[in-house]
């Protein structure tokens, strides 16, 4: 029994030892050393991060905001016409925001229209038959563009041009501008001179014919009498020239005095208006005092005691009645003063109009006096020739048989007749339909838009009549000093308005050469953009402008900037992964934009679109677990 117990005890001890060994092994498997823990938690080995080489166009950009508006305003003034002697009164003003197209009537002056046509040469003179020049060429081109045939567009105001001008005016419901009184006077004078010269030539021819025949004594006597008569006519014509010169001087002196007289009349009218207004103010003040005195009289009457004597109460009532009468009188005097002031004010326009009419009449008198002087000078020339011819005829008739002198006389008379006839033809050509300088505006780049009206109805022309802008829109903005060095006219611009979802494009049309112009800050440079598509709904709105200031010539190879590195020799290079291996490829960098750099393989190196370039390294994530 003792042996069995000992054996059982040995077995139990062995089992216990085996159990302790198993527990120790298991426990040993759950316990890790610091070195093992560090090894297991260390980061995985690095692996390269690659990006494919792309082929694309690159550009650097400047981004600013700008305001949409119409083109820059330009002042417009009318030229002065020498054909017309009106008052230069605006009878119909330009209409604000009107769109000016070729052939449109923009305004009226003295009841005459002012038309618009396209042209770069400003209207600077009256255009009349026979005129030549680039302004006439513009007129013909404008008429042709509107469908009125001016003949050859050759810059000569000929009969065809005159016909086209007439048709244009009539199509607008207007009468063309015909010959003036001065033109007609000059034509009549020239026709009279031509008739006299023709008669003198015919008489000279007749004298040649008569000179070949025997001359009777009575004919010689008559010829001498004709010579005396012709000489008297010459002296009379010379006296007429002196008288005509005196009338011209008097008319010019009167015309010169009309302006000061008009100014004096206007000054007197203003003085009378000031006096009348002052009288109104005095009468209004007197009415106010009368009303105050009436109130005071009523207060005093109300303060009279009921126990006061009747005489005192009656005196108070009388004072009230008197004060009320004073108020009515003051009102009547105020009304009269106001009416007088209004009458003076109403007469102001009449004073100015009368002054303008007197100036117009004086100018007309000057023209008539000058026309009379021209007729007198023509008469002197004609009578001088007639007197000379008559004297030569008398001398020749006294020497019968020799007609050589008579023939010379006839030749001279024929030359004078032809000269005066040419002058008539010239004046006839000039007396046709004309285009006064103040009835046509040549404006470039039509259509335009009336931005501001400077001349109102009833104004006398003086300076600009309106400001016009291009009907096309522009966008104003400004640049910093550094950006201004990059932006150039012609740069492409992307235009955007995020809230409305508008996307458009344009080009830079102008960059200021110094800061602080056109409303820009003193440290910024103004520039403008011309949209290539309409933006009518965005006038006055703020838009985003993205300007491509530098770009590649088409698509190029591009890699991220982080893919580039510099070798020891200073050359640029990229690392390319090919077939599990990394190769160094030398490159020549170009434009850098939008985080990318343009690259070209250097020398015989190869780099293609889609090649994987290394931009960094990454680490595999450790296995997750508790």
């Amino acid at each position: 029994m003792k042996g069995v117990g000992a054996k059982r005890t040995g077995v139990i001890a062995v089992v216990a030892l085996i159990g302790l060994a198993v527990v120790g092994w298991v426990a040993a498997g759950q316990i890790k050393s610091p070195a093992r823990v560090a090894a297991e938690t260390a980061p995985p080995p690095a692996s390269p991060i690659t990006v494919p080489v792309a082929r694309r166009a690159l550009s650097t950009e400047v981004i600013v905001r700008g305001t949409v508006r119409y083109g820059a305003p330009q002042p417009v003034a009318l030229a002065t016409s020498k054909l017309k002697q009106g008052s230069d009164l605006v009878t119909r003003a330009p209409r604000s925001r009107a769109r000016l197209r070729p052939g449109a009537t923009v305004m009226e002056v003295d009841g005459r229209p002012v038309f618009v046509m396209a042209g770069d040469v400003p209207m600077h003179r009256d255009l009349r038959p026979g005129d030549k020049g680039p302004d006439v060429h513009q007129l013909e081109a404008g008429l042709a563009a509107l469908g009125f045939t001016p003949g050859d567009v050759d810059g000569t105001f000929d009969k065809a041009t005159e016909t086209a001008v007439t048709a244009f005016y009539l199509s607008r419901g207007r009468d063309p501008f015909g010959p003036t009184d001065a033109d007609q006077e000059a034509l009549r004078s020239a026709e009279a001179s031509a008739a006299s010269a023709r008669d003198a030539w015919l008489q000279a021819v007749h004298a040649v014919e008569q000179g070949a025949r025997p001359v009777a004594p009575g004919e010689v006597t008559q010829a001498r009498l004709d010579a005396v008569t012709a000489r008297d006519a010459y002296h009379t014509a010379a006296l007429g020239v002196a008288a005509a010169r005196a009338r011209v001087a008097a008319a010019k002196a009167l015309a010169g005095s009309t302006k000061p007289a008009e100014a004096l009349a206007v000054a007197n009218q203003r003085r009378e208006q000031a006096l009348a207004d002052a009288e109104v103010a005095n009468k209004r003040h007197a009415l106010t005092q009368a009303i105050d005195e009436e109130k005071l009289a009523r207060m005093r009457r109300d303060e009279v005691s009921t126990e006061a004597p009747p005489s005192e109460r009656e005196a108070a009532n009388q004072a009230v009645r008197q004060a009320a009468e004073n108020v009515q009188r003051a009102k009547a005097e105020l009304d009269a003063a106001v009416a007088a002031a209004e009458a003076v004010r109403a007469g102001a326009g009449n004073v100015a109009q009368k002054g303008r009419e007197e100036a117009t009449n004086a100018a007309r008198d000057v023209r008539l006096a000058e026309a009379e002087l021209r007729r007198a000078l023509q008469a002197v020339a004609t009578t001088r020739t007639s007197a000379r011819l008559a004297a030569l005829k008398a001398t020749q008739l006294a020497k019968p048989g020799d007609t050589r002198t008579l023939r010379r006389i006839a030749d001279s008379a024929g030359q004078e007749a032809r000269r005066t006839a040419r002058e008539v033809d010239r004046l006839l050509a000039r007396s046709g339909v004309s285009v006064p300088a103040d009835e046509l505006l040549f404006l470039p780049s039509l259509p335009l838009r009336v931005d501001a009206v400077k001349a109102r109805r009833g104004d006398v022309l003086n300076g600009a009549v309106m400001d016009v802008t291009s009907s096309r829109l522009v966008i104003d903005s400004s640049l910093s000093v550094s950006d201004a060095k990059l932006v150039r006219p012609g740069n492409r611009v992307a235009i955007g308005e995020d809230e409305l979802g508008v996307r458009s494009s344009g080009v830079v049309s102008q960059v200021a050469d110094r800061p602080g112009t056109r409303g820009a800050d003193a440290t910024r440079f103004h520039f403008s953009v011309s949209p290539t598509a309409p933006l009518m709904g965005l006038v006055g709105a703020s838009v985003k402008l993205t300007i491509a200031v530098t770009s590649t010539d088409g698509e190029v190879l591009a890699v991220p900037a982080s893919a580039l590195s510099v070798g020891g020799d200073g050359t640029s290079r990229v690392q390319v992964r090919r077939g599990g291996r990394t190769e160094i490829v030398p490159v020549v960098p170009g434009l850098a934009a939008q985080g990318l750099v343009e690259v070209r393989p250097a020398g015989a190196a190869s780099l293609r679109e889609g090649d994987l370039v290394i931009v960094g390294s990454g680490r595999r994530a450790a296995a997750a677990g508790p």
Side-chain angles (χ1 to χ4, degrees), residues 1-10:
M1 291 295 292
K2 184 181 290 187
V4 173
K7 186 178 180 179
R8 183 180 298 123
T9 301

Side-chain angles (χ1 to χ4, degrees), residues 137 140 149-156 158 160-161:
H137 189 278
E140 292 176 323
T149 305
D152 294 334
V153 181
D154 54 4
T156 299
D158 52 19
T161 307

Side-chain angles (χ1 to χ4, degrees), residues 139-194:
L139 173 64
E140 292 176 323
L143 291 170
L146 292 170
F148 302 94
T149 305
D152 294 334
V153 181
D154 54 4
T156 299
F157 200 125
D158 52 19
K159 197 63 179 178
T161 307
E162 183 179 351
T163 302
V165 169
T166 301
F168 168 70
Y169 269 79
L170 293 177
S171 71
R172 267 55 180 175
R174 301 287 187 166
D175 292 328
F177 192 86
T180 64
D181 293 340
D183 292 334
Q184 293 173 346
E185 285 290 338
L187 179 59
R188 284 193 290 267
S189 176
E191 288 174 339
S193 298

Side-chain angles (χ1 to χ4, degrees), residues 15 64 73 236 279 330 356 386-387 430 446 504 621:
V15 171
V64 293
T236 302
E279 184 65 14
R356 287 192 291 270
S386 298
R430 296 284 286 177
L446 289 175
S504 186

Side-chain angles (χ1 to χ4, degrees), residues 307-358:
E307 299 177 355
S311 60
E312 185 176 347
R313 289 196 299 274
E314 180 58 28
N317 289 331
Q318 180 62 30
V320 171
R321 288 193 294 272
Q322 185 62 45
E325 292 177 359
N326 292 340
V327 169
Q328 295 301 320
R329 187 181 303 108
K331 285 182 178 179
E333 292 177 353
L334 175 60
D335 292 341
V338 170
E342 291 299 327
V344 173
R345 187 172 290 106
N350 295 333
V351 169
Q353 181 64 27
K354 183 178 179 182
R356 287 192 291 270
E357 290 176 355
E358 290 178 353

